[in-house]
Amino acid sequence: MKNPNPPPPKPPAAMAPRKSLWGPPPAAGEKGASTSARTTTPTSSSDSRRHPGRPAPGPIARNTASPAAAFRPPQPQLPVETPPPPPYGFHNLDRRTMRFADGTVRTYFALPPDYPFEPIPLPPLPHLSRAGPDVWPPPQLAPHEAKRKHLSDSDEGLHRHPKQPRFEAPHHPPQLPPHAAVDRHELRKAFLKYAKMLNESVAQRRSYLEGGRVPCLACGRSCKDFADVHGLVMHAYNPPNTDSSVDHLGLHKALCVLMGWDYTKVPENSKAYQSLLPDLVQASREDLIIWPPTVIIHNTATGRKKDGRCEGLGNKEMDKKISELGFAGGKSKSLYGKEGHLGLTLIKFANSPNGLKEAERFAEFLERQDHGRIGWSHAQASQSIDSDNNPLLVEMDNRTGEKRRVLYGYLAISSDLDELDSDSRKRASLKSRKELDQSD
């Protein structure tokens, strides 16, 4: 029998929207939600741009309760720095082509030639102090410090250990180098002594300048000759005993001045001390003057006699010419040889600071007229012309209309010792302008 009061019919359920295969999973509580993880379906590279995948999982947390975690070093977290933007991009490049010999063409990209690069500032140069006579001899920590170091020695903080252990002797206090106990006055006298010995003879000076085996003037015959001047300088700077240290150090400076080397640097095998500016070389050579102050006058020959001997200006005539020029205190000495007058006259001034000033004033007067050392070298180069008609050697006197010789002169230095006569060379000595003792 049918129920007379049937239950009301249920309303039709709303149709659920169709779920996309690629859509997100339904929320919790919705129909169709699952507590299990959804399996990720692999996507193609084209779909990955529209639907990016899950982010990469973070670092796995370490189990602090594990006994092995106590021995694992902590992993430092490096700070993430944003790189600076590039100074230029692809849009700044120019397309260029290159044609090869076989006819092929290649294309490449390069920056334009007028691209504004920012110059990088250079580090400042170290201050170089000019070396002087006060820093000679150079400071030395210990004897034979200039030798090359072994590979096992420490250098500039880089410690290199030898392959085998080294058993060192008991430590003794370091001995002072022989340079520290040298008398400065005696050292200066030794330097001037050997500077004169090296320049007295042209042949001896040439043997040192041109290279070859050279002897040690400080040792004499008790020492063998050295293969070159560098070996002799190393020997002179490191004397064999303290008794001869003054002579050897004086020879060391004299050799460096003669060769044009820097005597304020420690000589070593790298030969860095042999580099010196030309101005400093000339200054160190011109600092050694002949004493008493002497001015060498050239071109004082006037002609030849009937017997073929040369004649020239005598002492009285030269004294008269010098006094007419306004210089006093100098005494002339004309030099003669086997063929007569040599065309060379020495003007010696007083053995005092005032005599040196007068000699320097006379030499500067000739230099201003281009009749100094350089002017004489130019006149010597033109001696192939007849000397009586050479305008560099002979000039016309405006008052008398007679021809007279053009005088050339300069202050005598150590390299001019060979131009003096034997008697003047024997009596002369050398002095340094910078270290000139006013009491002498």
Side-chain angles (χ1 to χ4, degrees):
M1 183 173 180
K2 293 184 180 180
N3 188 2
N5 296 321
K10 296 180 180 181
M15 184 177 295
R18 186 178 179 182
K19 297 180 176 59
S20 175
L21 180 62
W22 308 106
E30 294 183 0
K31 187 177 181 180
S34 175
T35 58
S36 62
R38 181 183 297 271
T39 304
T40 305
T41 305
T43 59
S44 61
S45 60
S46 60
D47 296 335
S48 62
R49 299 180 181 177
R50 294 181 298 175
H51 305 284
R54 290 185 178 181
I60 301 175
R62 184 174 51 183
N63 185 8
T64 57
S66 176
F71 300 97
R72 296 175 185 171
Q75 299 180 358
Q77 297 294 335
L78 299 179
V80 180
E81 297 181 359
T82 304
Y88 52 85
F90 188 78
H91 61 280
N92 298 110
L93 303 179
D94 291 345
R95 182 188 295 271
R96 302 180 186 178
T97 57
M98 179 185 299
R99 184 181 298 274
F100 293 92
D102 56 353
T104 58
V105 179
R106 295 291 184 270
T107 303
Y108 66 97
F109 294 91
L111 286 172
D114 56 348
Y115 186 79
F117 286 100
E118 296 183 0
I120 302 176
L122 297 177
L125 295 177
H127 177 69
L128 300 177
S129 59
R130 182 172 179 178
D134 297 336
V135 296
W136 176 76
Q140 184 175 347
L141 298 178
H144 308 288
E145 185 70 17
K147 294 184 178 180
R148 296 182 61 184
K149 296 182 178 180
H150 193 265
L151 294 177
S152 61
D153 297 342
S154 60
D155 189 10
E156 299 181 0
L158 181 59
H159 299 278
R160 301 175 179 177
H161 300 280
K163 295 182 179 180
Q164 298 180 357
R166 180 185 300 176
F167 299 96
E168 298 181 354
H171 177 71
H172 297 283
Q175 299 180 356
L176 293 176
H179 305 179
V182 168
D183 185 5
R184 294 286 174 173
H185 182 70
E186 297 295 329
L187 186 60
R188 183 181 64 176
K189 291 174 58 177
F191 159 62
L192 298 176
K193 167 189 172 183
Y194 288 106
K196 180 182 178 182
M197 294 176 62
L198 292 174
N199 290 276
E200 279 182 331
S201 172
V202 180
Q204 180 170 327
R205 183 171 68 243
R206 187 180 303 170
S207 64
Y208 286 90
L209 293 174
E210 295 181 355
R213 301 193 65 85
V214 289
C216 177
L217 300 179
C219 294
R221 296 182 179 181
S222 61
C223 180
K224 297 181 179 180
D225 295 349
F226 293 86
D228 52 7
V229 182
H230 168 67
L232 178 57
V233 169
M234 295 283 289
H235 163 76
Y237 190 76
N238 300 281
N241 51 68
T242 57
D243 297 337
S244 62
S245 59
V246 174
D247 290 337
H248 280 87
L249 289 177
L251 178 61
H252 158 258
K253 183 177 180 180
L255 288 171
C256 290
V257 172
L258 175 65
M259 303 299 297
W261 297 343
D262 191 356
Y263 58 85
T264 63
K265 293 183 179 180
V266 178
E268 53 186 4
N269 292 330
S270 63
K271 300 183 180 181
Y273 70 99
Q274 299 183 6
S275 301
L276 192 61
L277 296 177
D279 296 341
L280 298 180
V281 173
Q282 182 179 0
S284 61
R285 290 175 177 175
E286 293 181 353
D287 179 64
L288 294 179
I289 60 174
I290 295 179
W291 197 262
T294 305
V295 177
I296 300 177
I297 304 295
H298 290 274
N299 196 33
T300 57
T302 56
R304 291 184 177 273
K305 297 180 180 180
K306 295 181 180 180
D307 57 356
R309 294 175 59 85
C310 296
E311 58 181 359
L313 300 177
N315 298 339
K316 295 183 179 181
E317 294 177 284
M318 286 299 303
D319 291 339
K320 183 179 179 181
K321 282 183 174 293
I322 293 174
S323 61
E324 291 177 355
L325 295 175
F327 301 96
K331 295 183 179 181
S332 304
K333 183 179 182 180
S334 300
L335 302 186
Y336 294 86
K338 294 181 180 180
E339 297 183 0
H341 201 286
L342 298 178
L344 188 66
T345 303
L346 305 179
I347 311 297
K348 297 181 180 181
F349 290 84
N351 187 6
S352 64
N354 294 332
L356 175 60
K357 293 180 180 179
E358 193 70 11
E360 291 177 342
R361 194 169 68 90
F362 184 34
E364 291 175 358
F365 168 77
L366 296 174
E367 187 66 31
R368 287 194 301 268
Q369 295 184 345
D370 200 15
H371 293 165
R373 188 183 297 269
I374 300 178
W376 173 241
S377 62
H378 294 166
Q380 282 183 308
S382 62
Q383 282 187 354
S384 58
I385 308 176
D386 186 7
S387 60
D388 294 336
N389 299 323
N390 190 348
L392 296 178
L393 301 177
V394 180
E395 62 182 1
M396 188 70 66
D397 192 351
N398 296 330
R399 294 183 302 175
T400 61
E402 298 179 355
K403 293 182 179 180
R404 62 181 183 181
R405 310 295 292 188
V406 179
L407 301 182
Y408 294 86
Y410 45 83
L411 186 65
I413 59 177
S414 59
S415 59
D416 301 323
L417 278 170
D418 58 289
E419 298 186 11
L420 275 61
D421 60 299
S422 58
D423 183 66
S424 300
R425 190 185 311 116
K426 182 179 180 180
R427 296 175 180 270
S429 61
L430 296 182
K431 281 188 176 296
S432 172
R433 292 190 191 182
K434 297 178 182 179
E435 302 175 356
L436 183 62
D437 191 356
Q438 303 294 339
S439 62
D440 290 348

